[in-house]
Amino acid sequence: MRFPLSTTLARQGLLLLCCSSLAGCVTIQAMPNPVRDMFTFGFSTATEMQAMAEKQRQASERRTAPYKKICIEWNEQVTVPDFLTVLEDSLDRRGVEHQLYGSGAMPAGCVVLSYAASRAWEQDFAYMNYATLALRKEGMTLSKVTYEPRRLGMDRWASTEAKLIFLIDQLIFGNGSTTIN
């Protein structure tokens, strides 16, 4: 049996109206893109390998940090799980004593490291997508660095350490402000 065109359009409109009035949400999952995934894996692996080489260089190089002790200002809004661990391990490798303090509880005259970081979610996996670190003493900014993802975000699956290792070195030994992406 054939229905006239106007009846078919009316049925489609009615179906659309019924579906749109339903409560709940509809999830449409994107199909995997093997080419994109391969590039992302390649860039993330390259980033990890660079970080491993830098970690080895830092461990073997006995470069004296200009700060003997850094007071880390706790930021409860950072939800990147291993952020503080990576930060503290990097300071340990450089021979910098550090202690975590609550906001406003730092000892006078201490070099304060403040930080912020955020993460994004994609396909049920989280990754750090932004971080900023600053060193201050008595209200004056000594150094500030920022991590932002590369243009195409191909390093997004790299570890937090791979993203921060160069950044922390630049924060401690560099001068002024830097953005690393």
Side-chain angles (χ1 to χ4, degrees), residues 47-48 51 127-130 147 149 155-168 180:
T47 303
E48 290 293 334
Y127 56 92
M128 187 181 78
N129 67 337
Y130 175 81
Y147 166 80
D155 67 333
R156 70 176 153 252
W157 303 121
S159 67
T160 303
E161 181 178 52
K163 294 174 181 177
L164 291 181
I165 196 163
F166 297 101
L167 205 64
I168 294 168
I180 296 178

Side-chain angles (χ1 to χ4, degrees), residues 123-139:
Q123 299 174 359
D124 297 330
F125 294 102
Y127 56 92
M128 187 181 78
N129 67 337
Y130 175 81
T132 185
L133 303 160
L135 284 177
R136 294 183 179 85
K137 186 168 184 175
E138 298 169 2

Side-chain angles (χ1 to χ4, degrees), residues 10-159:
R11 283 183 175 181
Q12 289 175 348
L14 183 60
L15 182 61
L16 182 62
L17 181 65
C18 289
C19 288
S20 66
S21 67
L22 294 175
C25 67
V26 177
T27 303
I28 300 173
Q29 189 171 8
M31 295 299 290
N33 183 337
V35 175
R36 183 200 65 212
D37 293 347
M38 192 58 116
F39 275 113
T40 300
F41 175 76
F43 276 98
S44 294
T45 303
T47 303
E48 290 293 334
M49 291 176 72
Q50 286 176 326
M52 285 174 32
E54 177 64 13
K55 193 173 180 179
Q56 287 296 322
R57 185 189 68 76
Q58 287 179 5
S60 65
E61 182 185 73
R62 296 293 172 217
R63 192 172 175 187
T64 305
Y67 314 107
K68 296 298 176 211
K69 183 174 182 180
I70 291 179
C71 300
I72 303 171
E73 185 176 9
W74 167 254
N75 183 347
E76 65 185 35
Q77 295 178 341
V78 172
T79 60
V80 179
D82 58 344
F83 190 88
L84 270 176
T85 304
V86 168
L87 181 61
E88 291 174 329
D89 288 348
S90 293
L91 293 173
D92 286 341
R93 267 195 310 280
R94 288 304 188 191
V96 178
E97 189 181 331
H98 53 84
Q99 189 153 355
L100 192 61
Y101 291 93
S103 183
M106 267 77 58
C110 192
V111 174
V112 177
L113 190 155
S114 58
Y115 61 92
S118 63
R119 60 183 174 162
W121 290 85
E122 187 174 317
Q123 299 174 359
D124 297 330
F125 294 102
Y127 56 92
M128 187 181 78
N129 67 337
Y130 175 81
T132 185
L133 303 160
L135 284 177
R136 294 183 179 85
K137 186 168 184 175
E138 298 169 2
M140 187 176 88
T141 301
L142 305 173
S143 181
K144 184 176 180 180
V145 291
T146 303
Y147 166 80
E148 293 175 326
R150 293 184 177 159
R151 280 183 195 216
L152 300 176
M154 296 296 187
D155 67 333
R156 70 176 153 252
W157 303 121
S159 67

